[in-house]
């Protein structure tokens, strides 16, 4: 067959193929078949050298026309298929749906409760201070009236870095540091991380505490009671009852633990006739330890024995669990956004 006839047959044949093609993939297959490097047009043009030189220009011109025509056919079909695809996508799209709001972060409940508690105490005239998490044995224990053989220093509770350096097991060392660097009167709260060799359902190796300390002239147990009662009512509501139970801490004398009326059952010990699982039917839950600063601590920091003051220490996660009714301590550390998002 003569080359020009062969060339001119290509466009109609491509057109039939394009009519039947129903996807952009099929279209691309046809383009390669007809116009590709080894396609039909290229094969016909491969025979050009067999022609006498004077006939070649006419064939070349025919080839260019056919190529342009094929390209145009191809582009037209492509636009049609693309328009169809877009129309289908639009049909699935409902423009009346509300837009998707971007996710907003929220503060962690531990942070929220820490900020709330510090805010309450600054409102009462306390100042927020901090101390190191890697602490010397001296501040963590010795200055707080815990000599080397004291049971609280037992290896199973304390994470040691060296013989004389520990991860602080409580925020109480900030008491000693504050008194060493300031003169009374003073009133401070010290929030921060503490560490213990302890890990089970109700204990994590790291948790948060807030320490409080007020020292001055004539500070009594009544001031301690008034301050902590005001604090408890601010966090848990004005109806909350407090109860001070005698206790023991090496750095306070006398010492007490403070219970509040259970926020789950309102102190009744039962919820809908079932035993309350938060207070275990007692109607009370413990929230902090406190006491009057022991004279041995004043001696360690070089304060005169004329001063008096109180101290307290509380667990932030514990307060958050009671305040928000969170049943599982692990929630604080898993960082599941479905949990965290509830505090936005
Ligand atoms: N440091 C104690 C603890 O971690 C808590 C504590 C009790 C702190 C009594 C105090 C206090 O300041 O007076 O268990």
């Amino acid at each position: 067959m003569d080359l020009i006839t062969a060339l001119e047959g290509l466009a109609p044949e491509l057109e039939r193929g394009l009519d039947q093609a129903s996807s952009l993939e099929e279209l691309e297959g046809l383009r390669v078949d007809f116009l590709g490097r080894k396609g039909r047009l290229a094969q016909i043009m491969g025979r050009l050298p067999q022609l006498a030189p004077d006939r070649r220009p006419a064939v070349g011109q025919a080839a260019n026309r056919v190529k342009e025509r094929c390209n145009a056919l191809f582009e037209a079909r492509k636009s049609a298929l693309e328009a169809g695809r877009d129309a289908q996508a639009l049909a699935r799209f409902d423009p009346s749906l509300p837009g998707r709001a971007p996710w907003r972060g929220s503060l962690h409940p531990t942070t929220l409760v820490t900020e709330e508690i510090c805010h309450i105490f600054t409102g009462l005239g306390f100042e927020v201070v901090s101390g190191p998490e890697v602490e010397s044995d001296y501040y963590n224990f010795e200055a707080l009236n815990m000599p080397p053989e004291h049971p609280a220093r037992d290896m199973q509770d304390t994470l040691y870095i060296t013989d004389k350096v520990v991860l602080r097991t409580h925020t109480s060392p900030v008491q000693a540091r504050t008194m060493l660097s300031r003169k009374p009167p003073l009133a401070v709260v010290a929030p921060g991380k503490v560490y213990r060799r302890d890990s089970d359902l109700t204990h994590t190796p790291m948790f948060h505490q807030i320490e409080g300390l007020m020292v001055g002239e004539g500070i009594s147990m009544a001031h301690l009671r008034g301050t902590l009662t005001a604090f408890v009512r601010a966090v848990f509501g004005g109806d909350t009852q407090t109860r001070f139970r005698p206790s023991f801490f090496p750095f306070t004398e006398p010492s007490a633990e403070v219970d509040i009326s259970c926020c789950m059952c309102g102190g009744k010990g039962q919820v809908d006739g079932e035993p309350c699982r938060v207070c275990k039917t007692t109607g009370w839950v413990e929230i902090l330890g406190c006491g009057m600063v022991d004279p041995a601590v004043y001696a360690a920091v070089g304060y005169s024995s004329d001063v008096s003051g109180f101290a307290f220490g509380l667990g932030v996660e514990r307060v958050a669990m009671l305040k928000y009714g969170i049943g599982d301590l692990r929630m604080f550390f898993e960082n599941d956004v479905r949990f965290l998002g509830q505090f936005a």
Side-chain angles (χ1 to χ4, degrees):
M1 194 183 2
D2 121 57
L3 289 192
I4 294 188
T5 313
L7 284 170
E8 282 173 348
L10 286 181
E13 204 184 322
L14 174 63
E15 196 164 13
R16 282 193 296 278
L18 289 175
D19 279 347
Q20 274 160 29
S22 58
S23 72
L24 290 165
E25 291 72 41
E26 280 177 66
L27 217 61
E28 179 58 15
L30 282 172
R31 200 188 60 76
V32 173
D33 262 5
F34 280 79
L35 303 171
R37 220 155 39 82
K38 294 181 180 165
R40 305 272 299 276
L41 183 71
Q43 280 170 21
I44 296 173
M45 292 310 283
R47 284 153 59 197
L48 200 61
Q50 299 166 7
L51 289 187
D54 63 334
R55 293 196 48 210
R56 290 181 198 168
V59 174
Q61 280 161 17
N64 281 337
R65 274 198 313 277
V66 167
K67 192 171 179 178
E68 259 174 49
R69 172 91 185 116
C70 286
N71 271 327
L73 285 170
F74 178 78
E75 287 304 326
R77 185 71 183 130
K78 188 174 174 196
S79 316
L81 280 179
E82 279 174 349
R85 184 195 57 188
D86 292 352
Q88 264 184 1
L90 269 179
R92 281 197 301 271
F93 173 73
D94 179 354
S96 69
L97 285 175
R100 275 185 212 153
W103 275 36
R104 286 184 65 189
S106 54
L107 291 178
H108 194 282
T110 307
T111 309
L112 284 176
V113 168
T114 302
E115 286 185 354
E116 181 182 351
I117 294 174
C118 287
H119 181 76
I120 293 166
F121 280 105
T122 51
L124 292 170
F126 286 71
E127 200 181 316
V128 179
V129 297
S130 64
E133 290 168 29
V134 177
E135 185 54 286
S136 70
D137 179 276
Y138 179 77
Y139 290 115
N140 197 80
F141 295 123
E142 196 119 21
L144 297 171
N145 199 25
M146 277 181 272
E149 69 279 9
H150 196 280
R153 310 179 54 145
D154 198 302
M155 279 293 288
Q156 62 187 350
D157 297 321
T158 309
L159 289 155
Y160 281 86
I161 293 196
T162 68
D163 271 3
K164 289 279 161 213
V165 179
V166 302
L167 288 180
R168 68 177 177 191
T169 57
H170 51 179
T171 43
S172 302
V174 187
Q175 286 188 35
R177 287 180 172 273
T178 304
M179 288 190 271
L180 275 168
S181 65
R182 301 182 183 206
K183 287 189 165 33
L186 58 85
V188 295
V189 282
K193 293 183 165 70
V194 301
Y195 302 84
R196 288 185 195 175
R197 245 183 77 171
D198 218 351
S199 187
D200 59 34
L201 276 184
T202 52
H203 296 89
T204 47
M206 184 281 290
F207 60 102
H208 296 79
Q209 285 189 335
I210 297 180
E211 193 76 14
L213 174 70
M214 176 180 272
V215 183
E217 263 176 50
I219 305 288
S220 73
M221 195 94 187
H223 295 112
L224 171 62
R225 248 202 108 136
T227 304
L228 292 181
T229 303
F231 153 71
V232 162
R233 294 195 174 147
V235 175
F236 294 100
D239 298 336
T240 315
Q241 302 294 306
T242 53
R243 174 170 91 170
F244 286 63
R245 261 187 302 109
S247 184
F248 174 81
F249 298 102
F251 34 90
T252 44
E253 183 59 37
S255 303
E257 279 169 308
V258 175
D259 298 337
I260 60 170
S261 50
C262 178
C263 23
M264 183 59 85
C265 64
K268 289 190 280 294
Q270 296 199 332
V271 183
D272 301 329
E274 297 286 323
C276 177
R277 57 179 177 78
V278 171
C279 65
K280 314 227 159 53
T281 75
T282 62
W284 296 97
V285 286
E286 183 200 319
I287 71 151
L288 56 80
C290 62
M292 301 306 292
V293 177
D294 194 293
V297 178
Y298 294 136
V301 299
Y303 272 17
S304 98
S305 47
D306 297 343
V307 293
S308 65
F310 63 76
F312 59 88
L314 58 87
V316 176
E317 284 84 358
R318 179 157 179 80
V319 171
M321 286 174 84
L322 292 170
K323 183 176 165 80
Y324 296 118
I326 300 164
D328 187 342
L329 180 66
R330 291 169 297 184
M331 296 276 208
F332 288 91
F333 302 97
E334 283 168 352
N335 288 331
D336 184 329
V337 287
R338 290 168 300 182
F339 170 69
L340 298 180
Q342 296 176 50
F343 300 91

